[in-house]
Amino acid sequence: MIEVGNVTKLYGTLRAVNGVDFKVKRGEVLGLLGPNAAGKTTLMRIMTGYLPATEGTVKIGGKDVFDQPLEAKKNIGYLPENPPLYPEMSVKMYLGFTAEIRGVPRGERRQRVAEVIEMTGLGDVRDRLIDNISKGYRQRVGLAQALVHDPDVLILDEPTVGLDPRQIIDIRNLIKSQAGKRTIVLSSHILPEVSATCDRIVILNRGNVVAVDTQDELTRRASGGEHLRVEIGGCTASDAAEEIEGIEGVVKVETAGGAGDAAKLDVMTAQGADVREAVFKKVVEKEWILLEMSRAGMSLEDVFLQLTTTEEVAHNG
């Protein structure tokens, strides 16, 4: 549905975006994750045709954003970080206006405005001036204007920035409600936002793509293997660690406490090694009690810090 091909944006000698390349499938939710000044907003402006690229291509539904801008933009709903609102208009008037300039046929505008008002929970403020509604409601209005022409693609730049926790949950749920119905690209530097909402993640740093994958795969690759949390009864931590370390595929065992005749262990394995069966058999052989064994991958925050810090060191080096 979306094809970003080798996109570069130069400001003088500064490469704000550097050879970015990825695809987004129909119905997928893709997160653009990166620290401030990573190039997320610049890339989104290029993807929507708001800003020209120095090099590269962007296609939306097969239409080139630069060569076929009108055809491509018909398929895009865009929510910039600061929604383009007119405070002197009422919510309903503003959405009617955006429906008109988005090319919604006259006979369908009233119905379409009513649908997005219901979809985004704006019923209580539909007749109020935008100047007199809260930031959370304004963000909903911004999302409603992005949806009013029923686009196939939603591009959302920091959609929850500046909102309180309740408002963040509401906007997040709105975005989730569109997953599968539309192809969504969501940018954020808030890790829980991306983790809770997105199917795949693109991590940007200094304008470069440093990773593209699902969260589970990113954490697996970053850790270099698997991480198991194991609790065993009927033994000391040192005895359990010594026995588990002898299992093929186990790289390292760290003790994580435990009370009395019980041991809590963090077991790190080689990439591709699944040692769970061997751990179970070892516990049975030693006549211990397996109280818990669960996978415990790196958090998205760990992955993010590892990738962006590595890039930072390489850049400065």
PDB file of all heavy atoms in Angstrom, residues 43-73:
ATOM      1  N   LEU A  43      10.181  12.959   7.293  1.00  0.00           N
ATOM      2  CA  LEU A  43       9.790  11.820   6.465  1.00  0.00           C
ATOM      3  C   LEU A  43       8.281  11.799   6.246  1.00  0.00           C
ATOM      4  O   LEU A  43       7.810  11.549   5.125  1.00  0.00           O
ATOM      5  CB  LEU A  43      10.255  10.521   7.118  1.00  0.00           C
ATOM      6  CG  LEU A  43       9.905   9.226   6.378  1.00  0.00           C
ATOM      7  CD1 LEU A  43      10.500   9.226   4.970  1.00  0.00           C
ATOM      8  CD2 LEU A  43      10.387   8.015   7.161  1.00  0.00           C
ATOM      9  N   MET A  44       7.505  12.074   7.282  1.00  0.00           N
ATOM     10  CA  MET A  44       6.044  12.054   7.141  1.00  0.00           C
ATOM     11  C   MET A  44       5.558  13.167   6.216  1.00  0.00           C
ATOM     12  O   MET A  44       4.612  12.984   5.447  1.00  0.00           O
ATOM     13  CB  MET A  44       5.382  12.159   8.509  1.00  0.00           C
ATOM     14  CG  MET A  44       5.701  10.988   9.420  1.00  0.00           C
ATOM     15  SD  MET A  44       4.640  10.933  10.864  1.00  0.00           S
ATOM     16  CE  MET A  44       3.700   9.473  10.529  1.00  0.00           C
ATOM     17  N   ARG A  45       6.197  14.312   6.289  1.00  0.00           N
ATOM     18  CA  ARG A  45       5.825  15.405   5.380  1.00  0.00           C
ATOM     19  C   ARG A  45       6.140  15.042   3.933  1.00  0.00           C
ATOM     20  O   ARG A  45       5.396  15.401   3.019  1.00  0.00           O
ATOM     21  CB  ARG A  45       6.564  16.681   5.784  1.00  0.00           C
ATOM     22  CG  ARG A  45       6.040  17.288   7.073  1.00  0.00           C
ATOM     23  CD  ARG A  45       6.852  18.494   7.505  1.00  0.00           C
ATOM     24  NE  ARG A  45       6.274  19.107   8.700  1.00  0.00           N
ATOM     25  CZ  ARG A  45       6.845  20.106   9.367  1.00  0.00           C
ATOM     26  NH1 ARG A  45       8.006  20.606   8.961  1.00  0.00           N
ATOM     27  NH2 ARG A  45       6.247  20.609  10.433  1.00  0.00           N
ATOM     28  N   ILE A  46       7.223  14.314   3.729  1.00  0.00           N
ATOM     29  CA  ILE A  46       7.549  13.845   2.385  1.00  0.00           C
ATOM     30  C   ILE A  46       6.521  12.808   1.925  1.00  0.00           C
ATOM     31  O   ILE A  46       6.046  12.832   0.782  1.00  0.00           O
ATOM     32  CB  ILE A  46       8.973  13.258   2.353  1.00  0.00           C
ATOM     33  CG1 ILE A  46      10.003  14.370   2.560  1.00  0.00           C
ATOM     34  CG2 ILE A  46       9.235  12.525   1.038  1.00  0.00           C
ATOM     35  CD1 ILE A  46      11.424  13.872   2.763  1.00  0.00           C
ATOM     36  N   MET A  47       6.149  11.890   2.818  1.00  0.00           N
ATOM     37  CA  MET A  47       5.196  10.839   2.469  1.00  0.00           C
ATOM     38  C   MET A  47       3.829  11.392   2.093  1.00  0.00           C
ATOM     39  O   MET A  47       3.111  10.805   1.283  1.00  0.00           O
ATOM     40  CB  MET A  47       5.056   9.855   3.638  1.00  0.00           C
ATOM     41  CG  MET A  47       6.287   9.007   3.885  1.00  0.00           C
ATOM     42  SD  MET A  47       6.168   8.041   5.414  1.00  0.00           S
ATOM     43  CE  MET A  47       4.828   6.924   5.007  1.00  0.00           C
ATOM     44  N   THR A  48       3.463  12.536   2.667  1.00  0.00           N
ATOM     45  CA  THR A  48       2.157  13.136   2.368  1.00  0.00           C
ATOM     46  C   THR A  48       2.219  14.124   1.210  1.00  0.00           C
ATOM     47  O   THR A  48       1.186  14.684   0.821  1.00  0.00           O
ATOM     48  CB  THR A  48       1.613  13.874   3.605  1.00  0.00           C
ATOM     49  OG1 THR A  48       2.552  14.863   4.031  1.00  0.00           O
ATOM     50  CG2 THR A  48       1.357  12.910   4.741  1.00  0.00           C
ATOM     51  N   GLY A  49       3.402  14.356   0.666  1.00  0.00           N
ATOM     52  CA  GLY A  49       3.541  15.295  -0.426  1.00  0.00           C
ATOM     53  C   GLY A  49       3.628  16.737   0.003  1.00  0.00           C
ATOM     54  O   GLY A  49       3.666  17.646  -0.822  1.00  0.00           O
ATOM     55  N   TYR A  50       3.681  16.970   1.309  1.00  0.00           N
ATOM     56  CA  TYR A  50       3.786  18.333   1.831  1.00  0.00           C
ATOM     57  C   TYR A  50       5.170  18.920   1.590  1.00  0.00           C
ATOM     58  O   TYR A  50       5.336  20.126   1.404  1.00  0.00           O
ATOM     59  CB  TYR A  50       3.470  18.301   3.330  1.00  0.00           C
ATOM     60  CG  TYR A  50       3.587  19.623   4.045  1.00  0.00           C
ATOM     61  CD1 TYR A  50       2.561  20.558   3.974  1.00  0.00           C
ATOM     62  CD2 TYR A  50       4.712  19.933   4.799  1.00  0.00           C
ATOM     63  CE1 TYR A  50       2.659  21.781   4.639  1.00  0.00           C
ATOM     64  CE2 TYR A  50       4.830  21.148   5.458  1.00  0.00           C
ATOM     65  CZ  TYR A  50       3.787  22.060   5.378  1.00  0.00           C
ATOM     66  OH  TYR A  50       3.903  23.271   6.018  1.00  0.00           O
ATOM     67  N   LEU A  51       6.163  18.042   1.555  1.00  0.00           N
ATOM     68  CA  LEU A  51       7.557  18.455   1.410  1.00  0.00           C
ATOM     69  C   LEU A  51       8.197  17.600   0.317  1.00  0.00           C
ATOM     70  O   LEU A  51       8.035  16.378   0.325  1.00  0.00           O
ATOM     71  CB  LEU A  51       8.280  18.242   2.743  1.00  0.00           C
ATOM     72  CG  LEU A  51       9.680  18.812   2.947  1.00  0.00           C
ATOM     73  CD1 LEU A  51       9.634  20.336   2.964  1.00  0.00           C
ATOM     74  CD2 LEU A  51      10.265  18.299   4.264  1.00  0.00           C
ATOM     75  N   PRO A  52       8.919  18.213  -0.635  1.00  0.00           N
ATOM     76  CA  PRO A  52       9.562  17.400  -1.670  1.00  0.00           C
ATOM     77  C   PRO A  52      10.812  16.704  -1.145  1.00  0.00           C
ATOM     78  O   PRO A  52      11.510  17.233  -0.281  1.00  0.00           O
ATOM     79  CB  PRO A  52       9.927  18.435  -2.747  1.00  0.00           C
ATOM     80  CG  PRO A  52      10.111  19.712  -1.986  1.00  0.00           C
ATOM     81  CD  PRO A  52       9.119  19.656  -0.853  1.00  0.00           C
ATOM     82  N   ALA A  53      11.070  15.524  -1.661  1.00  0.00           N
ATOM     83  CA  ALA A  53      12.310  14.820  -1.327  1.00  0.00           C
ATOM     84  C   ALA A  53      13.430  15.317  -2.227  1.00  0.00           C
ATOM     85  O   ALA A  53      13.192  15.737  -3.362  1.00  0.00           O
ATOM     86  CB  ALA A  53      12.123  13.324  -1.498  1.00  0.00           C
ATOM     87  N   THR A  54      14.654  15.271  -1.727  1.00  0.00           N
ATOM     88  CA  THR A  54      15.815  15.563  -2.581  1.00  0.00           C
ATOM     89  C   THR A  54      16.051  14.407  -3.539  1.00  0.00           C
ATOM     90  O   THR A  54      16.359  14.613  -4.716  1.00  0.00           O
ATOM     91  CB  THR A  54      17.062  15.793  -1.704  1.00  0.00           C
ATOM     92  OG1 THR A  54      16.791  16.814  -0.737  1.00  0.00           O
ATOM     93  CG2 THR A  54      18.253  16.209  -2.561  1.00  0.00           C
ATOM     94  N   GLU A  55      15.886  13.195  -3.033  1.00  0.00           N
ATOM     95  CA  GLU A  55      16.008  11.989  -3.846  1.00  0.00           C
ATOM     96  C   GLU A  55      14.984  10.974  -3.361  1.00  0.00           C
ATOM     97  O   GLU A  55      14.518  11.035  -2.226  1.00  0.00           O
ATOM     98  CB  GLU A  55      17.406  11.367  -3.723  1.00  0.00           C
ATOM     99  CG  GLU A  55      18.550  12.226  -4.197  1.00  0.00           C
ATOM    100  CD  GLU A  55      19.907  11.581  -3.913  1.00  0.00           C
ATOM    101  OE1 GLU A  55      19.918  10.397  -3.496  1.00  0.00           O
ATOM    102  OE2 GLU A  55      20.924  12.258  -4.075  1.00  0.00           O
ATOM    103  N   GLY A  56      14.650  10.013  -4.232  1.00  0.00           N
ATOM    104  CA  GLY A  56      13.792   8.907  -3.832  1.00  0.00           C
ATOM    105  C   GLY A  56      12.351   9.076  -4.262  1.00  0.00           C
ATOM    106  O   GLY A  56      11.958  10.101  -4.833  1.00  0.00           O
ATOM    107  N   THR A  57      11.542   8.056  -3.951  1.00  0.00           N
ATOM    108  CA  THR A  57      10.135   8.040  -4.347  1.00  0.00           C
ATOM    109  C   THR A  57       9.263   7.591  -3.191  1.00  0.00           C
ATOM    110  O   THR A  57       9.700   6.854  -2.304  1.00  0.00           O
ATOM    111  CB  THR A  57       9.906   7.079  -5.528  1.00  0.00           C
ATOM    112  OG1 THR A  57      10.296   5.745  -5.133  1.00  0.00           O
ATOM    113  CG2 THR A  57      10.695   7.506  -6.752  1.00  0.00           C
ATOM    114  N   VAL A  58       8.012   8.045  -3.219  1.00  0.00           N
ATOM    115  CA  VAL A  58       6.980   7.563  -2.296  1.00  0.00           C
ATOM    116  C   VAL A  58       5.740   7.255  -3.127  1.00  0.00           C
ATOM    117  O   VAL A  58       5.277   8.105  -3.892  1.00  0.00           O
ATOM    118  CB  VAL A  58       6.629   8.610  -1.223  1.00  0.00           C
ATOM    119  CG1 VAL A  58       5.474   8.098  -0.354  1.00  0.00           C
ATOM    120  CG2 VAL A  58       7.835   8.933  -0.358  1.00  0.00           C
ATOM    121  N   LYS A  59       5.227   6.045  -2.987  1.00  0.00           N
ATOM    122  CA  LYS A  59       4.007   5.662  -3.692  1.00  0.00           C
ATOM    123  C   LYS A  59       2.941   5.265  -2.682  1.00  0.00           C
ATOM    124  O   LYS A  59       3.203   4.512  -1.743  1.00  0.00           O
ATOM    125  CB  LYS A  59       4.272   4.505  -4.659  1.00  0.00           C
ATOM    126  CG  LYS A  59       5.157   4.896  -5.836  1.00  0.00           C
ATOM    127  CD  LYS A  59       5.322   3.748  -6.812  1.00  0.00           C
ATOM    128  CE  LYS A  59       6.193   4.168  -7.993  1.00  0.00           C
ATOM    129  NZ  LYS A  59       6.354   3.060  -8.961  1.00  0.00           N
ATOM    130  N   ILE A  60       1.736   5.793  -2.883  1.00  0.00           N
ATOM    131  CA  ILE A  60       0.583   5.468  -2.047  1.00  0.00           C
ATOM    132  C   ILE A  60      -0.433   4.771  -2.943  1.00  0.00           C
ATOM    133  O   ILE A  60      -0.961   5.379  -3.879  1.00  0.00           O
ATOM    134  CB  ILE A  60      -0.050   6.734  -1.433  1.00  0.00           C
ATOM    135  CG1 ILE A  60       0.992   7.561  -0.671  1.00  0.00           C
ATOM    136  CG2 ILE A  60      -1.230   6.348  -0.544  1.00  0.00           C
ATOM    137  CD1 ILE A  60       1.498   6.942   0.593  1.00  0.00           C
ATOM    138  N   GLY A  61      -0.693   3.505  -2.691  1.00  0.00           N
ATOM    139  CA  GLY A  61      -1.615   2.765  -3.544  1.00  0.00           C
ATOM    140  C   GLY A  61      -1.181   2.758  -4.994  1.00  0.00           C
ATOM    141  O   GLY A  61      -2.014   2.790  -5.900  1.00  0.00           O
ATOM    142  N   GLY A  62       0.137   2.732  -5.224  1.00  0.00           N
ATOM    143  CA  GLY A  62       0.664   2.701  -6.575  1.00  0.00           C
ATOM    144  C   GLY A  62       0.806   4.056  -7.239  1.00  0.00           C
ATOM    145  O   GLY A  62       1.357   4.156  -8.339  1.00  0.00           O
ATOM    146  N   LYS A  63       0.328   5.120  -6.582  1.00  0.00           N
ATOM    147  CA  LYS A  63       0.402   6.477  -7.129  1.00  0.00           C
ATOM    148  C   LYS A  63       1.594   7.213  -6.526  1.00  0.00           C
ATOM    149  O   LYS A  63       1.740   7.270  -5.307  1.00  0.00           O
ATOM    150  CB  LYS A  63      -0.875   7.260  -6.829  1.00  0.00           C
ATOM    151  CG  LYS A  63      -2.167   6.564  -7.265  1.00  0.00           C
ATOM    152  CD  LYS A  63      -2.261   6.421  -8.773  1.00  0.00           C
ATOM    153  CE  LYS A  63      -3.615   5.801  -9.168  1.00  0.00           C
ATOM    154  NZ  LYS A  63      -3.712   5.610 -10.624  1.00  0.00           N
ATOM    155  N   ASP A  64       2.422   7.786  -7.395  1.00  0.00           N
ATOM    156  CA  ASP A  64       3.597   8.517  -6.941  1.00  0.00           C
ATOM    157  C   ASP A  64       3.176   9.860  -6.345  1.00  0.00           C
ATOM    158  O   ASP A  64       2.484  10.650  -6.996  1.00  0.00           O
ATOM    159  CB  ASP A  64       4.561   8.733  -8.105  1.00  0.00           C
ATOM    160  CG  ASP A  64       5.914   9.248  -7.652  1.00  0.00           C
ATOM    161  OD1 ASP A  64       5.985  10.393  -7.165  1.00  0.00           O
ATOM    162  OD2 ASP A  64       6.904   8.502  -7.790  1.00  0.00           O
ATOM    163  N   VAL A  65       3.599  10.125  -5.108  1.00  0.00           N
ATOM    164  CA  VAL A  65       3.196  11.335  -4.398  1.00  0.00           C
ATOM    165  C   VAL A  65       3.678  12.598  -5.104  1.00  0.00           C
ATOM    166  O   VAL A  65       3.032  13.652  -5.033  1.00  0.00           O
ATOM    167  CB  VAL A  65       3.716  11.294  -2.937  1.00  0.00           C
ATOM    168  CG1 VAL A  65       3.560  12.648  -2.257  1.00  0.00           C
ATOM    169  CG2 VAL A  65       2.967  10.235  -2.142  1.00  0.00           C
ATOM    170  N   PHE A  66       4.797  12.500  -5.811  1.00  0.00           N
ATOM    171  CA  PHE A  66       5.366  13.685  -6.458  1.00  0.00           C
ATOM    172  C   PHE A  66       4.914  13.822  -7.915  1.00  0.00           C
ATOM    173  O   PHE A  66       4.638  14.916  -8.383  1.00  0.00           O
ATOM    174  CB  PHE A  66       6.893  13.637  -6.377  1.00  0.00           C
ATOM    175  CG  PHE A  66       7.389  13.370  -4.978  1.00  0.00           C
ATOM    176  CD1 PHE A  66       8.155  12.257  -4.696  1.00  0.00           C
ATOM    177  CD2 PHE A  66       7.058  14.228  -3.945  1.00  0.00           C
ATOM    178  CE1 PHE A  66       8.584  11.999  -3.406  1.00  0.00           C
ATOM    179  CE2 PHE A  66       7.489  13.975  -2.651  1.00  0.00           C
ATOM    180  CZ  PHE A  66       8.247  12.862  -2.382  1.00  0.00           C
ATOM    181  N   ASP A  67       4.798  12.701  -8.633  1.00  0.00           N
ATOM    182  CA  ASP A  67       4.390  12.751 -10.035  1.00  0.00           C
ATOM    183  C   ASP A  67       2.877  12.762 -10.209  1.00  0.00           C
ATOM    184  O   ASP A  67       2.361  13.283 -11.200  1.00  0.00           O
ATOM    185  CB  ASP A  67       4.965  11.552 -10.806  1.00  0.00           C
ATOM    186  CG  ASP A  67       6.480  11.603 -10.916  1.00  0.00           C
ATOM    187  OD1 ASP A  67       7.045  12.700 -10.744  1.00  0.00           O
ATOM    188  OD2 ASP A  67       7.099  10.543 -11.156  1.00  0.00           O
ATOM    189  N   GLN A  68       2.151  12.170  -9.247  1.00  0.00           N
ATOM    190  CA  GLN A  68       0.681  12.117  -9.306  1.00  0.00           C
ATOM    191  C   GLN A  68       0.108  12.580  -7.967  1.00  0.00           C
ATOM    192  O   GLN A  68      -0.583  11.823  -7.281  1.00  0.00           O
ATOM    193  CB  GLN A  68       0.229  10.686  -9.606  1.00  0.00           C
ATOM    194  CG  GLN A  68       0.780  10.104 -10.905  1.00  0.00           C
ATOM    195  CD  GLN A  68       0.623   8.602 -10.958  1.00  0.00           C
ATOM    196  OE1 GLN A  68       1.365   7.855 -10.312  1.00  0.00           O
ATOM    197  NE2 GLN A  68      -0.354   8.134 -11.733  1.00  0.00           N
ATOM    198  N   PRO A  69       0.378  13.828  -7.583  1.00  0.00           N
ATOM    199  CA  PRO A  69       0.043  14.272  -6.230  1.00  0.00           C
ATOM    200  C   PRO A  69      -1.450  14.238  -5.893  1.00  0.00           C
ATOM    201  O   PRO A  69      -1.819  13.822  -4.793  1.00  0.00           O
ATOM    202  CB  PRO A  69       0.590  15.702  -6.174  1.00  0.00           C
ATOM    203  CG  PRO A  69       0.710  16.127  -7.594  1.00  0.00           C
ATOM    204  CD  PRO A  69       1.031  14.895  -8.361  1.00  0.00           C
ATOM    205  N   LEU A  70      -2.301  14.665  -6.803  1.00  0.00           N
ATOM    206  CA  LEU A  70      -3.734  14.698  -6.501  1.00  0.00           C
ATOM    207  C   LEU A  70      -4.292  13.296  -6.321  1.00  0.00           C
ATOM    208  O   LEU A  70      -5.063  13.028  -5.396  1.00  0.00           O
ATOM    209  CB  LEU A  70      -4.496  15.439  -7.599  1.00  0.00           C
ATOM    210  CG  LEU A  70      -4.197  16.936  -7.707  1.00  0.00           C
ATOM    211  CD1 LEU A  70      -5.006  17.559  -8.844  1.00  0.00           C
ATOM    212  CD2 LEU A  70      -4.508  17.650  -6.395  1.00  0.00           C
ATOM    213  N   GLU A  71      -3.902  12.380  -7.218  1.00  0.00           N
ATOM    214  CA  GLU A  71      -4.388  11.004  -7.115  1.00  0.00           C
ATOM    215  C   GLU A  71      -3.890  10.339  -5.833  1.00  0.00           C
ATOM    216  O   GLU A  71      -4.628   9.625  -5.156  1.00  0.00           O
ATOM    217  CB  GLU A  71      -3.931  10.191  -8.328  1.00  0.00           C
ATOM    218  CG  GLU A  71      -4.595  10.569  -9.638  1.00  0.00           C
ATOM    219  CD  GLU A  71      -3.890  11.720 -10.340  1.00  0.00           C
ATOM    220  OE1 GLU A  71      -3.034  12.376  -9.696  1.00  0.00           O
ATOM    221  OE2 GLU A  71      -4.182  11.969 -11.518  1.00  0.00           O
ATOM    222  N   ALA A  72      -2.613  10.577  -5.485  1.00  0.00           N
ATOM    223  CA  ALA A  72      -2.045   9.972  -4.279  1.00  0.00           C
ATOM    224  C   ALA A  72      -2.696  10.530  -3.018  1.00  0.00           C
ATOM    225  O   ALA A  72      -3.034   9.788  -2.094  1.00  0.00           O
ATOM    226  CB  ALA A  72      -0.535  10.185  -4.244  1.00  0.00           C
ATOM    227  N   LYS A  73      -2.880  11.852  -2.977  1.00  0.00           N
ATOM    228  CA  LYS A  73      -3.390  12.492  -1.759  1.00  0.00           C
ATOM    229  C   LYS A  73      -4.848  12.163  -1.473  1.00  0.00           C
ATOM    230  O   LYS A  73      -5.293  12.293  -0.333  1.00  0.00           O
ATOM    231  CB  LYS A  73      -3.180  14.002  -1.849  1.00  0.00           C
ATOM    232  CG  LYS A  73      -1.716  14.411  -1.748  1.00  0.00           C
ATOM    233  CD  LYS A  73      -1.532  15.907  -1.910  1.00  0.00           C
ATOM    234  CE  LYS A  73      -0.056  16.289  -1.889  1.00  0.00           C
ATOM    235  NZ  LYS A  73       0.147  17.738  -2.071  1.00  0.00           N
TER     236      LYS A  73
END
